[in-house]
Amino acid sequence: MLGAVTIGVGIAAGCVTILGGVAALVRWLLRRDNDERRGRVATAVALAGTGSEAIGMRRGTVIKGGTQPFQGAHISGGVQISHIYHSSEEHQRMEEMLELVLERLPPRVEDPLQTTDVELRTRWAAGRRLQTDGEYEEAIEVFVKCVHLTDRLSDERIKLENLIGNNFLRLARYAEAEGRYREALRIARRSGNRRGEAAATAGLGIVARRQGKLGNSLRYLKKTLLIDKELGDRRSEARSCANLGLTYLKLGQGHQALSQFQRALEINVEMGDIQSQTTSLIMMSFSYQSVGEMGQAVDCIAKALNVNAQFGGSGNAQDILGVVNGFAAQVLLEPTWKGHRKVEFFDALVRVTQQAGDRSREAESLANLGIAYREINKLSESIAKFQAAMKISRQLGDAEKEADSTANLAIAYRAMNDFTGATTHFEQALAIARQIGDRPREADSLANLGITYRMLHNHQKAEEYLRRALEIAQQLADRMRESDSLANLAITYRGMNDLPRAESQMQQAMQIEREIGDRSREADSLANLGIIHRMMNNFPEAERCLKQALEIVRELGDRPREADSLANLGIIYRDSETKMEEAVDCFRAVLKINRELGDRRKEAATLAGLAITYIAMTKLTEAEQSLNEALKLNRETKDRAGEAKTLGNLSIVYLKGGEPQRATEYSRRALEMNRQIGSHLEEGKQLMNLANIQYSLGELDQAAGYLRQAQAVFRNTETPEAEIVSQMLSQIEREMLSSQERRDDGAIIARDHED
């Protein structure tokens, strides 16, 4: 038998039953194509560089997006981010923004003026209108005139002093604000006005916080909270909890802050106060971030978006936008969030940006929505969102965001196997990057083009683009991009079967990663080195590298990549042909993680990998069962490429089980599906499978016909399959010639007997 060649999706599924002289070649082919692992993901606000590639695929690009202070933040998959804001200036801007968010809350409950003085009431109303319009200086002038119309110990005087203090506070004139609050507090205590006392102590607490006197701030705000509870003033109690929470947050006491914001939220829900609910959720998100619980932080922002949407945008659209960019990247990377949830998040965010009339952020949100759709394989929707984002960025004259959306659009086309669309848009992104003189983006576009050509098996062109990306990274002294370029080159050389060069480049990449302390990338390099050593048949060294990679991803708490590392170990054990039970254990462990994460596509891929192990162990019943489970998941997730590979693998099971007709049926279905989705490499491999089946039946003419079709598919490619098909075809043609010669000799002998 020539060799049945079928590769499963995600984790490779390849099996071979071999007779004849091409056994070593087909074994090598299968080992090469068993390489599959989740690609490296890098993002700022928009994501790029992913694609179906071999195990340990390296990020080919960092697509930037978003507004300062988040632009250009490198966030690698699997690295827990405990803080988004890094510099002291950014942290200060965050705190100022939170102060403004609290300032826009509804005011503390105030009793209406009890005076019958018409002039006082008229001036009071005029001052309040000026305050509402943001005319704080003018409001202060009016309220000061009102003071002269009141008695020194009256309730009206207390209200006016607090109001003047509030306006001085808004103008950041803290000493004057403090003076007015102290006067209001003195009068309130003398007259026994507890509500006025609470307002004054609240003002003093905020002034102290803004002056950095956080101990004094806590003291005043705790006093305020006690009075609010005493008065049963629930709205003011919620506001006091929020103010206390912000002071705790500035003190670095995230858990105490969270407790106060949660209490404020409970009251706001009870009161039906929509604006304050969104404010509390925003504050809670920062508290969770401060204690390193980014998943919870993102949840709070998502809830704020949901509340805003439910009530027609009557919440804090601008406040949400003020913080959400810092969480966009984390939403994309959050391992506990499934794809559909990310779609809901960014879809809600798009609506908020439209309500706020913020076109720039609308473009960013559309791009992120495109990424979320791409994650759940809704590529048509993904492309539509990227096109919309690109159009807005072009209208705004924002070349950087236009380049990012163009690159993301290219990645979506690449995911659809539309490599013409992919290369066209990567070239456009490259042109924009060069036009604006953005060298990092230029390097990213070159790297993406290199990865795309590698996927097309045009390794020479891939090497050319990746070399140029490496040169730019080295000129920029960008160590991270340098390591990625070296790793991508290593994977390219591996595809060319230049294993010594692949190992050298990957070792260089890993050395850089260790120097800069990037454990996530180091794990990728170790995984890649494991694959290279496996291809060299150095199984002990391959196992050592993959176990080191597994140890690192477990340290990082990255469950998806833990599953990938275990799957790779399973492939190593299977290929060594000495540790089959260990291979089965690895794939079962991977299945458990896939199911925990709810990753249905990866679950199907793992079932395929398990099935191939069972085939190698001649456990055909178990293999068929695993593949049928995989097929069901392929169809549920609408993964046609995965379905085609599973059908091909089932054909191998039936062939080994002595059912060649059924094997032919499944292989033809796989072939047709690959043609429909435009997967030429898999089409060629399936033609090789059909040739193998016909060869096993002794139908040499039909086997040769399938191999000639495969040869046409592989023509003008640098894939090793092309050479293997040629050798297989040569062998069959020799056998056909030999068979014909034997028949001719027999005919001659028969004629001699007749003579």
Side-chain angles (χ1 to χ4, degrees):
M1 194 173 295
L2 287 172
V5 183
T6 296
I7 310 303
V9 62
I11 300 164
C15 176
V16 61
T17 304
I18 301 171
L19 296 175
V22 295
L25 284 169
V26 179
R27 284 185 186 278
W28 177 84
L29 169 67
L30 287 168
R31 284 175 180 160
R32 173 183 178 275
D33 283 323
N34 271 339
D35 305 343
E36 279 284 348
R37 197 187 70 80
R38 181 174 66 106
R40 162 91 67 185
V41 174
T43 179
V45 173
L47 207 65
T50 59
S52 58
E53 255 290 349
I55 176 169
M57 171 185 168
R58 297 302 291 264
R59 174 176 58 87
T61 182
V62 178
I63 292 298
K64 296 188 282 291
T67 55
Q68 296 292 347
F70 312 107
Q71 187 173 3
H74 294 265
I75 303 177
S76 301
V79 179
Q80 178 63 41
I81 305 159
S82 58
H83 295 84
I84 290 173
Y85 297 85
H86 299 289
S87 72
S88 58
E89 292 82 4
E90 290 164 355
H91 190 77
Q92 184 178 351
R93 281 198 294 272
M94 176 197 74
E95 292 180 345
E96 289 171 357
M97 185 273 295
L98 292 180
E99 290 280 8
L100 290 173
V101 170
L102 283 185
E103 195 173 279
R104 285 195 288 273
L105 285 173
R108 301 180 66 81
V109 174
E110 296 176 352
D111 294 327
L113 281 178
Q114 301 300 320
T115 182
T116 57
D117 187 321
V118 175
E119 182 182 0
L120 177 56
R121 293 176 69 88
T122 302
R123 287 177 182 260
W124 173 285
R128 294 303 295 266
R129 283 195 298 272
L130 288 166
Q131 179 179 294
T132 301
D133 293 340
E135 303 289 343
Y136 304 127
E137 293 273 11
E138 293 81 353
I140 289 170
E141 291 179 11
V142 172
F143 288 138
V144 168
K145 290 176 181 177
C146 288
V147 166
H148 300 304
L149 300 175
T150 61
D151 295 331
R152 285 185 60 82
L153 298 180
S154 66
D155 289 346
E156 285 74 17
R157 183 67 170 267
I158 297 168
K159 291 175 186 176
L160 283 165
E161 294 291 353
N162 278 324
L163 276 172
I164 295 169
N166 290 345
N167 284 282
F168 277 127
L169 182 64
R170 292 186 176 100
L171 292 168
R173 290 161 61 174
Y174 300 131
E176 292 160 287
E178 183 179 0
R180 292 293 179 167
Y181 289 136
R182 288 196 180 280
E183 179 63 12
L185 180 60
R186 184 187 66 79
I187 299 170
R189 283 177 174 169
R190 287 191 62 181
S191 63
N193 186 329
R194 297 289 275 167
R195 195 178 298 280
E197 182 181 351
T201 53
L204 287 167
I206 295 169
V207 167
R209 183 174 65 228
R210 294 194 184 181
Q211 291 177 322
K213 301 173 183 177
L214 300 180
N216 288 345
S217 177
L218 280 182
R219 182 167 57 85
Y220 282 123
L221 292 171
K222 285 179 178 179
K223 179 65 175 175
T224 305
L225 182 58
L226 285 174
I227 297 173
D228 290 334
K229 288 179 177 179
E230 175 190 313
L231 295 172
D233 185 344
R234 301 286 280 163
R235 186 185 298 276
S236 295
E237 181 183 345
R239 185 167 186 144
S240 293
C241 287
N243 265 308
L244 256 178
L246 183 52
T247 301
Y248 277 125
L249 200 58
K250 293 190 74 168
L251 280 165
Q253 298 178 24
H255 290 291
Q256 291 90 330
L258 183 60
S259 176
Q260 295 298 328
F261 293 137
Q262 286 172 330
R263 180 60 183 150
L265 178 63
E266 290 171 7
I267 297 172
N268 294 328
V269 171
E270 176 189 315
M271 301 285 292
D273 186 337
I274 305 306
Q275 181 181 355
S276 298
Q277 284 180 46
T278 57
T279 297
S280 296
L281 287 163
I282 289 167
M283 296 301 199
M284 285 171 62
S285 73
F286 278 102
S287 299
Y288 278 120
Q289 179 202 334
S290 72
V291 297
E293 296 185 27
M294 288 304 300
Q296 294 279 14
V298 171
D299 282 343
C300 288
I301 292 297
K303 289 175 183 174
L305 287 170
N306 186 47
V307 169
N308 188 76
Q310 283 181 14
F311 294 91
S314 62
N316 301 4
Q318 288 289 357
D319 292 339
I320 294 170
L321 290 179
V323 299
V324 79
N325 276 355
F327 293 96
Q330 186 62 25
V331 170
L332 293 171
L333 295 174
E334 176 55 45
T336 62
W337 276 44
K338 310 305 176 209
H340 290 284
R341 194 174 181 196
K342 294 176 186 180
V343 167
E344 291 171 3
F345 178 93
F346 286 114
D347 189 52
L349 184 54
V350 168
R351 290 196 297 272
V352 172
T353 60
Q354 291 168 343
Q355 290 162 7
D358 192 330
R359 297 283 280 162
S360 179
R361 281 177 172 156
E362 182 184 352
E364 292 166 11
S365 301
L366 282 165
N368 284 321
L369 182 55
I371 293 165
Y373 273 123
R374 192 170 66 208
E375 282 191 15
I376 59 174
N377 208 40
K378 290 194 173 183
L379 298 176
S380 297
E381 291 90 337
S382 176
I383 286 172
K385 300 307 175 186
F386 288 134
Q387 287 173 332
M390 187 170 63
K391 182 179 178 181
I392 293 172
S393 298
R394 191 173 291 159
Q395 290 171 348
L396 295 174
D398 191 332
E400 291 184 352
K401 288 192 178 71
E402 183 184 350
D404 293 344
S405 293
T406 304
N408 272 310
L409 188 56
I411 291 166
Y413 280 122
R414 190 168 66 189
M416 294 178 72
N417 292 323
D418 182 352
F419 294 107
T420 301
T423 53
T424 298
H425 285 86
F426 281 134
E427 290 284 4
Q428 289 177 14
L430 177 62
I432 296 171
R434 285 173 171 166
Q435 181 183 349
I436 62 179
D438 190 321
R439 297 282 279 165
R441 276 185 171 85
E442 181 182 353
D444 295 340
S445 297
L446 288 166
N448 261 318
L449 280 163
I451 291 170
T452 305
Y453 280 113
R454 185 173 70 216
M455 293 172 71
L456 285 166
H457 302 281
N458 189 338
H459 294 105
Q460 185 176 354
K461 208 160 187 178
E463 180 187 11
E464 175 190 340
Y465 279 108
L466 290 168
R467 280 277 168 211
R468 286 157 63 188
L470 176 61
E471 288 170 8
I472 294 174
Q474 290 171 336
Q475 290 166 9
L476 295 172
D478 187 329
R479 302 286 276 166
M480 192 176 293
R481 279 187 172 88
E482 182 181 359
S483 77
D484 286 338
S485 296
L486 286 164
N488 274 313
L489 277 166
I491 295 170
T492 301
Y493 292 134
R494 191 180 72 197
M496 298 164 71
N497 204 34
D498 187 348
L499 300 182
R501 205 170 177 189
E503 182 184 11
S504 172
Q505 298 285 287
M506 197 63 72
Q507 288 283 6
Q508 289 180 54
M510 189 167 66
Q511 180 61 35
I512 292 172
E513 290 148 9
R514 285 175 173 169
E515 288 173 8
I516 64 177
D518 191 328
R519 297 283 280 164
S520 181
R521 279 175 167 79
E522 182 185 349
D524 281 348
S525 293
L526 283 164
N528 272 301
L529 284 167
I531 295 304
I532 292 166
H533 287 299
R534 176 166 64 84
M535 292 174 67
M536 293 175 168
N537 291 325
N538 187 349
F539 294 108
E541 185 62 19
E543 182 180 356
R544 185 188 68 81
C545 289
L546 288 168
K547 281 185 174 178
Q548 286 184 37
L550 177 61
E551 183 180 343
I552 291 173
V553 295
R554 279 176 170 165
E555 286 175 9
L556 296 172
D558 189 334
R559 293 286 278 167
R561 289 171 74 197
E562 180 183 351
D564 296 335
S565 297
L566 285 166
N568 288 326
L569 273 172
I571 293 169
I572 292 291
Y573 291 142
R574 185 177 67 207
D575 284 0
S576 70
E577 301 179 355
T578 59
K579 297 184 176 181
M580 290 298 187
E581 291 299 335
E582 288 91 334
V584 170
D585 290 342
C586 283
F587 286 123
R588 284 177 176 164
V590 176
L591 269 179
K592 183 178 179 183
I593 296 174
N594 294 153
R595 286 165 179 165
E596 285 174 9
L597 297 173
D599 192 331
R600 307 279 277 169
R601 289 198 172 202
K602 280 282 186 72
E603 184 181 344
T606 306
L607 285 164
L610 181 60
I612 297 311
T613 306
Y614 283 136
I615 292 172
M617 299 168 74
T618 324
K619 293 186 175 182
L620 300 182
T621 301
E622 291 88 338
E624 182 182 11
Q625 181 181 343
S626 292
L627 288 170
N628 279 323
E629 287 182 50
L631 188 62
K632 182 180 178 182
L633 290 171
N634 294 147
R635 288 169 176 167
E636 285 177 5
T637 58
K638 298 181 180 179
D639 183 359
R640 300 198 73 207
E643 182 179 350
K645 291 172 182 176
T646 303
L647 289 168
N649 281 321
L650 277 165
S651 77
I652 295 169
V653 172
Y654 296 132
L655 180 59
K656 287 181 71 70
E659 300 181 69
Q661 299 306 320
R662 198 173 183 189
T664 301
E665 175 197 343
Y666 275 78
S667 192
R668 283 176 175 165
R669 286 165 61 187
L671 174 64
E672 181 60 28
M673 193 167 290
N674 282 316
R675 284 173 171 167
Q676 289 172 2
I677 64 179
S679 182
H680 300 302
L681 182 63
E682 296 302 324
E683 177 189 350
K685 290 176 182 176
Q686 208 52 241
L687 287 164
M688 292 169 70
N689 267 340
L690 283 163
N692 185 54
I693 295 168
Q694 295 306 311
Y695 183 87
S696 72
L697 294 170
E699 300 290 343
L700 299 188
D701 283 340
Q702 291 189 43
Y706 282 124
L707 288 174
R708 290 189 187 102
Q709 290 182 56
Q711 197 172 47
V713 171
F714 292 134
R715 188 173 292 127
N716 300 322
T717 71
E718 299 176 29
T719 60
E721 288 86 348
E723 178 62 25
I724 291 171
V725 168
S726 295
Q727 294 192 34
M728 291 168 70
L729 186 57
S730 295
Q731 177 181 318
I732 288 180
E733 287 173 343
R734 285 195 300 271
E735 290 187 25
M736 290 170 67
L737 180 60
S738 176
S739 177
Q740 183 62 46
E741 288 173 349
R742 286 195 298 272
R743 284 197 298 270
D744 291 344
D745 289 344
I748 292 170
I749 292 169
R751 284 197 298 272
D752 288 343
H753 282 301
E754 290 172 3
D755 293 342

